[in-house]
Amino acid sequence: MAKQNIYILGIESSCDDTSAAVMHNGKVLSNVVASQKIHEDYGGVVPELASRAHQQNIVPVVDQALQKAGITKNQLSAIAFTRGPGLMGSLLVGTSFAKSLAYGLNIPLIDVNHMQAHILAHFIEEADFASPPFPFLAMTISGGHTQIVHVKNYFDITVIGETIDDAVGEAYDKSGKILGLGYPAGPEIDKRAQLGNPKAFAFTKPKVDGLNFSFSGLKTAILYFIQKQTKANPNFIEENLNDICASIQYTIIGILIDKLKKATATTGITHIAIGGGVSANSGIRNALKAGEQKFGWTTYVPKFEYTTDNAAMIAVVGYLKFLEGDFAAQDIMASARLKI
């Protein structure tokens, strides 16, 4: 089957990025992403605005992906799309478009779980990037999700730990909002953290049993801390911003690494793959690399463009499912709370 010319069109529309990618036999030919800047004015994603923007973007994004790949739609073998989880309105745009195009071209339709795609992005063929061997642990960290997953093979995936409230990306964004930073706040906190003292201010780590996470309490602790300090000194944030950011990042990274240490001890697995938009954070990447020396881990981080929401990761799952003959029916529906 792999010797055939298999062209997969991947479509991703789970949140606020409209993306389309074309994959040929496991290799990415194009990966086009249209971001939505309008949400910056609101300090977070507005679902209705997101779905409207997807409607405007999806046709030109798909057209550009095909052009960059150098193929026509008639050469496509199948269309893979994000079924969920995500914002329902956004998912409906991608799902409806994929179903219609697959029906019109009379080719298979393949539904993809967004969270599984973040994990399997590690299997996109890319020079200088190794794929983790089975079994491995995957930690997916993004604006809406924080999970530790036990991966036995492409399609045998079990969540062994997840957030019970805020995701790690929300912890960054809500902390940033408290500090008066823009949206998304994660990159700015990461940038400033590199200039500050990570032990300048101590924040208590939430105590959560097992491998689950909680970041809501941390956000509240940061809020109370800032309120107390600014009451005593109105210029506290301005005078200490880098140190505050460094201390917040140090605490968040500590929470993640502590859970990974527990996960490796519980499972005996030391191969760790990371994915999701927050995996672009330099502090988290450095902590994982340090874990290789401290704890004997082998860590895997995909190419930067495959960490955030993108259609290449949808296409690679589509390709793997195509090889298995695992296709979806035309009556399949989007699912905002789809589980792995």
Side-chain angles (χ1 to χ4, degrees), residues 216-235:
S216 180
L218 174 62
K219 173 211 66 178
T220 303
I222 292 168
L223 174 63
Y224 289 163
F225 171 79
I226 294 299
Q227 288 177 339
K228 179 180 178 181
Q229 296 299 325
T230 53
K231 186 176 182 179
N233 175 12
N235 297 320

Side-chain angles (χ1 to χ4, degrees), residues 7-31:
Y7 291 97
I8 305 293
L9 172 65
I11 296 173
E12 155 62 19
S13 68
S14 65
C15 191
D16 61 334
D17 287 333
T18 312
S19 182
V22 175
M23 176 167 282
H24 177 232
N25 292 350
K27 292 186 178 180
V28 175
L29 300 183
S30 64
N31 186 36

Side-chain angles (χ1 to χ4, degrees), residues 8-14 17-22 31-32 54 57-59 61-63 65-66 76 78-84 90-102 109-114 117 309-316 318:
I8 305 293
L9 172 65
I11 296 173
E12 155 62 19
S13 68
S14 65
D17 287 333
T18 312
S19 182
V22 175
N31 186 36
V32 179
H54 283 304
N57 292 337
I58 194 162
V59 171
V61 165
V62 168
D63 183 60
L66 290 170
L76 293 173
I79 297 174
F81 70 97
T82 301
R83 183 186 174 201
S90 297
L91 291 169
L92 285 172
V93 175
T95 300
S96 300
F97 184 89
K99 289 167 70 172
S100 300
L101 187 57
L109 180 70
I110 301 172
D111 65 301
V112 175
N113 184 300
H114 180 86
D309 291 351
N310 68 93
M313 69 182 192
I314 305 302
V316 74

Side-chain angles (χ1 to χ4, degrees), residues 50-327:
S51 59
R52 290 181 184 181
H54 283 304
Q55 289 179 315
Q56 295 173 341
N57 292 337
I58 194 162
V59 171
V61 165
V62 168
D63 183 60
Q64 190 175 359
L66 290 170
Q67 288 188 39
K68 285 192 173 185
I71 69 167
T72 68
K73 62 181 183 295
N74 294 317
Q75 291 175 264
L76 293 173
S77 307
I79 297 174
F81 70 97
T82 301
R83 183 186 174 201
L87 301 175
M88 193 61 183
S90 297
L91 291 169
L92 285 172
V93 175
T95 300
S96 300
F97 184 89
K99 289 167 70 172
S100 300
L101 187 57
Y103 184 81
L105 295 174
N106 194 30
I107 57 177
L109 180 70
I110 301 172
D111 65 301
V112 175
N113 184 300
H114 180 86
M115 300 306 296
Q116 183 183 27
H118 272 305
I119 296 168
L120 297 186
H122 288 273
F123 295 93
I124 296 172
E125 293 185 27
E126 196 73 37
D128 301 323
F129 286 84
S131 299
F134 298 115
F136 65 91
L137 296 177
M139 185 171 71
T140 305
I141 47 177
S142 66
H145 303 278
T146 303
Q147 293 182 337
I148 298 179
V149 183
H150 183 187
V151 186
K152 295 180 181 177
N153 62 51
Y154 298 129
F155 305 112
D156 189 353
I157 298 173
T158 304
V159 176
I160 59 175
E162 60 188 338
T163 183
I164 60 175
D165 43 54
D166 289 352
V168 64
E170 291 174 302
Y172 273 106
D173 288 335
K174 290 179 179 180
S175 298
K177 190 172 184 179
I178 293 168
L179 297 174
L181 303 178
Y183 173 84
E188 182 68 15
I189 290 177
D190 183 29
K191 178 181 176 181
R192 290 184 173 277
Q194 296 173 52
L195 304 174
N197 175 9
K199 297 184 180 180
F201 308 106
F203 298 110
T204 303
K205 295 179 184 177
K207 295 181 180 179
V208 183
D209 292 336
L211 298 176
N212 287 333
F213 299 87
S214 172
F215 292 98
S216 180
L218 174 62
K219 173 211 66 178
T220 303
I222 292 168
L223 174 63
Y224 289 163
F225 171 79
I226 294 299
Q227 288 177 339
K228 179 180 178 181
Q229 296 299 325
T230 53
K231 186 176 182 179
N233 175 12
N235 297 320
F236 177 78
I237 294 177
E238 182 181 351
E239 294 173 358
N240 298 276
L241 186 55
N242 291 341
D243 285 348
I244 298 169
C245 289
S247 300
I248 291 172
Q249 176 142 301
Y250 178 80
T251 305
I252 291 174
I253 291 172
I255 294 169
L256 296 176
I257 296 300
D258 286 349
K259 292 296 183 179
L260 279 179
K261 286 165 61 178
K262 183 173 286 190
T264 57
T266 302
T267 63
I269 298 171
T270 56
H271 289 274
I272 299 172
I274 188 171
V278 183
S279 66
N281 181 284
S282 66
I284 293 173
R285 288 180 176 232
N286 291 337
L288 283 172
K289 281 297 176 185
E292 293 187 333
Q293 299 296 323
K294 292 180 181 178
F295 314 119
W297 297 345
T298 303
T299 60
Y300 305 83
V301 182
K303 192 175 180 180
F304 177 79
E305 63 190 85
Y306 303 142
T307 58
T308 54
D309 291 351
N310 68 93
M313 69 182 192
I314 305 302
V316 74
V317 180
Y319 174 67
L320 294 169
K321 294 183 80 169
F322 186 93
L323 296 179
E324 296 288 323
D326 186 0
F327 306 137

